[in-house]
Amino acid sequence: MGPCLPLTLTEWTSRNAVRLAAPGLDAPPEDLATLRNLVGDARVVALGENSHQIHEFGLLRERMLRFLVRECGFTVYAVEFGAASGRAVDAWVQGGDGDLDALLMPRADGYPGQSAEGRDTLRWLRAHNATAPRPVRFAGLDIPAAGGSLAPALEPVAKYLADVDPDAVRYARTALELSEPLAGGSGLVSAHTRLALAPQAQDRLSATLGRLLNRVSVMREIYTRRSGHQAYERALSDVWAAWRTDQMQRAMSELLGGAPDAADLAARDRYMAESLLELLDQSAPGTRIVLAAHNAHIQRTANPQGSPLPCAPMGHVLAQELGTDYVSVALTGGSGRTVRNVPDPTHPAGMRQCAADAPEATPDSVEALFAGVPEAPALLDTHALTAHARHHGLPEPTHIRMDDGFLPVPALNAYDAVISVPRTTLTADLGE
């Protein structure tokens, strides 16, 4: 009788992945004990998704957020949403006045405005905070309007400068005027517009933003005396957001023009990472953050030059800075429906979103690992599976699904865990 063959990665996953309750908010929390063990004492836990606007991802992520808040003491919910716009949303979840849908417009400013499930999560936060001894804060981390407009960041800067340094207002106002013709529903719209823009015009905007950034940076001590530390740090962050947005738009325009640079495309991810790190630094000791963003943003690994994804995603920066204090959990799915994004320069968002069948898992994808777990959402500890794969010399997955396609990502290195939902449907906002 010959030696026993090692379990394939799919067989190992079938035996060892932890089955979770079906997506919903009323399931008992016992199955999430594995999440507690995975998280440990980490200060930041990132919960991803392979596509925005998936109903099951929204429900599962809210259920995990509730568990992390109630059972593990997390007190900040940070999301892929404009940082400047997020301040008004934070005031609302703390019990402030206003209409949530109005605060989240335009929905292009990012998750959670893009889905009914995301908005429901904010309503839960507000209800939770009404009686919680330690309320949960909301924080946007992203550049403004998903890169489509500099105005949400520059308008607060202009108001700030009017109080602390009126002579510098001209920099913010000039940048607003120069960027207004480029504004659109997303960074993709602005990138398309820039294709027809003369290099001199782009350089003038970039130079003006550079002057503004220099002015606000070198005047730190003076501005801080005049406004206080918190107001200054917000203004500086908003200037950085505008500068990063300009750089990202230029890089995306080069990508559309056939000359991509994955390093420059990382401007947005760098801003999100720095926003989160600043949030940690400025928060009380013991603050723990739940981070919600796309799988492509939260991965721990860098992407190679020439990749369609940014060279240094947010999660890579956080992993390098925080080490084991950063835990990354990707959400993906099997069959069902997903989102297809079709570039369209005439569309207000720069692309059309439509429903599509989820593609069958390719043999080299992380999704193929869950072929033996068709009955329930399952959580896979990638560290344990990696140990098994490398002990037996088994090939590891090299791709992960993004929307209706697959991208090269070393998934077992990129995420601390992967959760797969057997079947996905679309949020009511998108429909069929």
Side-chain angles (χ1 to χ4, degrees):
M1 185 173 180
C4 294
L5 295 175
L7 294 175
T8 68
L9 299 194
T10 299
E11 291 169 338
W12 192 97
T13 300
S14 178
R15 292 193 184 187
N16 293 281
V18 176
R19 275 57 167 179
L20 303 178
L25 302 176
D26 55 354
E30 284 76 16
D31 61 326
L32 292 178
T34 297
L35 181 63
R36 186 206 301 273
N37 296 334
L38 178 76
V39 168
D41 296 326
R43 300 171 69 193
V44 179
V45 175
L47 305 178
E49 57 188 3
N50 68 15
S51 180
H52 297 313
Q53 299 176 306
I54 299 298
H55 174 66
E56 289 75 15
F57 294 164
L59 293 180
L60 182 55
R61 200 151 58 175
E62 180 176 330
R63 184 166 176 255
M64 290 190 288
L65 171 66
R66 292 187 183 195
F67 178 84
L68 291 169
V69 167
R70 290 169 170 167
E71 304 297 328
C72 302
F74 282 76
T75 54
V76 179
Y77 183 48
V79 304
E80 185 183 334
F81 187 82
S85 303
R87 294 167 198 149
V89 178
D90 180 48
W92 187 85
V93 301
Q94 305 303 329
D97 296 332
D99 177 72
L100 178 62
D101 289 334
L103 292 174
L104 293 174
M105 293 299 287
R107 291 182 182 177
D109 214 341
Y111 182 90
Q114 293 174 332
S115 73
E117 293 75 21
R119 297 190 295 279
D120 285 344
T121 297
L122 296 183
R123 294 186 180 98
W124 173 77
L125 278 180
R126 180 180 169 99
H128 169 82
N129 285 343
T131 58
R134 192 176 179 191
V136 178
R137 295 172 54 199
F138 174 87
L141 302 177
D142 211 346
I143 58 178
S149 173
L150 277 63
L154 287 178
E155 287 172 353
V157 171
K159 292 179 181 178
Y160 174 80
L161 291 174
D163 291 331
V164 300
D165 187 4
D167 288 343
V169 174
R170 66 183 187 276
Y171 297 125
R173 290 297 175 198
T174 299
L176 280 166
E177 292 171 6
L178 293 172
S179 64
E180 195 278 331
L182 306 175
S186 73
L188 192 57
V189 175
S190 301
H192 278 294
T193 303
R194 282 175 179 259
L195 286 173
L197 195 66
Q200 294 86 346
Q202 298 208 47
D203 291 345
R204 187 182 176 203
L205 173 58
S206 297
T208 302
L209 289 169
R211 292 291 300 274
L212 176 62
L213 181 57
N214 180 67
R215 181 68 164 248
V216 176
S217 298
V218 301
M219 295 286 281
R220 175 187 296 271
E221 290 77 16
I222 296 172
Y223 286 4
T224 299
R225 284 199 301 270
R226 294 173 180 174
S227 69
H229 177 75
Q230 185 178 53
Y232 170 77
E233 291 296 336
R234 285 183 174 180
L236 179 61
S237 177
D238 287 345
V239 177
W240 272 113
W243 190 84
R244 296 285 189 198
T245 301
D246 173 62
Q247 297 300 305
M248 189 203 75
Q249 288 179 358
R250 297 188 70 153
M252 289 183 68
S253 183
E254 292 169 358
L255 175 66
L256 294 173
D261 189 328
D264 284 351
L265 283 171
R268 178 186 177 194
D269 278 79
R270 171 61 62 171
Y271 179 77
M272 289 195 288
E274 291 178 347
S275 294
L276 189 138
L277 293 171
E278 288 173 6
L279 178 60
L280 272 180
D281 288 342
Q282 296 167 11
S283 297
T287 295
R288 306 181 78 188
I289 300 173
V290 178
L291 166 61
H294 196 284
N295 287 347
H297 292 308
I298 69 168
Q299 69 181 65
R300 301 180 67 95
T301 51
N303 291 305
Q305 196 73 20
S307 168
L309 297 174
C311 183
M314 169 179 61
H316 180 63
V317 177
L318 297 178
Q320 297 301 301
E321 290 288 331
L322 300 175
T324 57
D325 266 333
Y326 176 67
V327 171
S328 177
V329 182
L331 270 62
T332 189
S335 63
R337 301 288 271 172
T338 188
V339 177
R340 174 175 295 154
N341 294 301
V342 181
D344 182 356
T346 66
H347 192 277
M351 63 184 178
R352 291 179 287 107
Q353 292 187 314
C354 55
D357 289 332
E360 184 176 348
T362 59
D364 61 354
S365 68
V366 70
E367 286 76 14
L369 300 177
F370 294 90
V373 195
E375 74 283 1
L379 186 153
L380 172 66
D381 182 332
T382 59
H383 300 287
L385 180 58
T386 298
H388 172 77
R390 294 179 183 174
H391 178 73
H392 295 288
L394 300 174
E396 300 173 26
T398 57
H399 287 72
I400 193 169
R401 214 183 89 202
M402 180 174 176
D403 297 330
D404 61 337
F406 292 85
L407 289 178
V409 173
L412 300 189
N413 294 327
Y415 308 103
D416 297 288
V418 176
I419 298 176
S420 181
V421 177
R423 184 175 180 81
T424 57
T425 58
L426 303 181
T427 181
D429 285 21
L430 193 59
E432 292 292 321

